[in-house]
Amino acid sequence: MLIAGFPAGAWGTNCYLVAPAAGEECVIIDPGHQAAQGVEETLKKHRLKPVAVVLTHGHIDHVASVVPVCGSHDVPAWIHPEDRYMMSDPEKALGRSIGMPLMGELTVGEPDDVKELTDGAKLSLAGLEFGVSHAPGHTKGSVTFGMPEAADIPPVLFSGDLLFAGSVGRTDLPGGDHAELLESLARVCLPLDDSTVVLSGHGPQTTIGRERASNPFLNGLDAVPRRGL
């Protein structure tokens, strides 16, 4: 399996391209602020053909390049319905007044084809399977994408802004709720195997085992049974 990621834009948001191997179809996760050029460079480097964009949530730092990326490759974008409005109204999602400057000129709006994610869904894209878990707390429509263990890699969780190395997502923006975030961590993250690699929306990769042992926000949380990745 090939997972290529890079931090993009002023917020350093991690964008990932996932494929069975170089030269094959791929899925793009969270093409955020100023990510379009990095996406094109990564596609060219690994000879990849995108078939879909999937979004962990609707904040502008994760979706700012969705329109140009989807438009350039004629692919759909997948997002949870509770965060869909953020693609067209990022100021509302950040608690800002309409018309206030937001990192200069950004192309906001929806791509031509938008599909909605549901909790527990299994997305079969580019020859890969992604398990969708609704994980509110950072936003109402936050989700994670899980991939089971493969021959050459351990299980992988694309956690968006739910779980970071040593921290968790902020909850002070519209739609944020700290109690919901803790419940999502207990239900979505803690039941996973310690070997699960966590690729988050910001910062370095980590593992569930490392976060279980050292992340202060997970102290005292008990895992809630779930369906798996």
Side-chain angles (χ1 to χ4, degrees):
M1 185 183 300
L2 170 67
I3 301 177
F6 61 92
W11 292 281
T13 304
N14 291 325
C15 177
Y16 301 100
L17 287 80
V18 189
E24 299 196 28
E25 294 182 335
C26 75
V27 174
I28 301 168
I29 301 176
D30 287 358
H33 183 233
Q34 297 179 343
Q37 181 176 343
V39 166
E40 296 306 316
E41 291 172 351
T42 306
L43 291 172
K44 182 178 180 180
K45 176 180 179 180
H46 297 288
R47 297 173 285 108
L48 301 173
K49 175 181 173 53
V51 297
V53 167
V54 297
L55 303 166
T56 61
H57 63 289
H59 280 158
I60 191 68
D61 59 324
H62 289 252
V63 307
S65 295
V66 169
V67 170
V69 169
C70 288
S72 295
H73 299 281
D74 193 25
V75 299
W78 292 78
I79 192 168
H80 192 276
E82 291 196 69
D83 275 14
R84 182 170 177 172
Y85 76 93
M86 296 185 189
M87 290 194 288
S88 299
D89 195 355
E91 289 93 345
K92 183 176 180 181
L94 298 176
R96 301 167 67 99
S97 300
I98 297 296
M100 290 181 66
L102 185 65
M103 299 304 299
E105 294 296 324
L106 296 177
T107 303
V108 298
E110 293 190 355
D112 291 337
D113 188 1
V114 178
K115 301 181 184 297
E116 295 187 346
L117 298 166
T118 58
D119 184 44
K122 300 293 185 183
L123 298 183
S124 295
L125 300 168
L128 303 168
E129 184 171 277
F130 299 84
V132 180
S133 293
H134 186 208
H138 180 63
T139 67
K140 292 297 183 186
S142 288
V143 302
T144 65
F145 299 107
M147 301 183 69
E149 182 177 4
D152 54 344
I153 63 168
V156 176
L157 180 72
F158 296 94
S159 65
D161 286 5
L162 172 63
L163 177 65
F164 303 131
S167 190
V168 296
R170 62 189 294 182
T171 57
D172 59 329
L173 295 173
D177 185 301
H178 188 68
E180 276 193 330
L181 186 88
L182 294 179
E183 190 279 333
S184 292
L185 290 165
R187 175 177 48 83
V188 175
C189 297
L190 286 183
L192 299 178
D193 189 87
D194 282 350
S195 66
T196 303
V197 175
V198 179
L199 299 177
S200 62
H202 303 270
Q205 76 176 48
T206 185
T207 65
I208 290 293
R210 186 177 304 147
E211 298 313 301
R212 195 192 313 276
S214 62
N215 191 316
F217 293 93
L218 302 185
N219 288 344
L221 288 183
D222 294 321
V224 176
R226 53 164 285 165
R227 290 180 295 271
L229 284 168

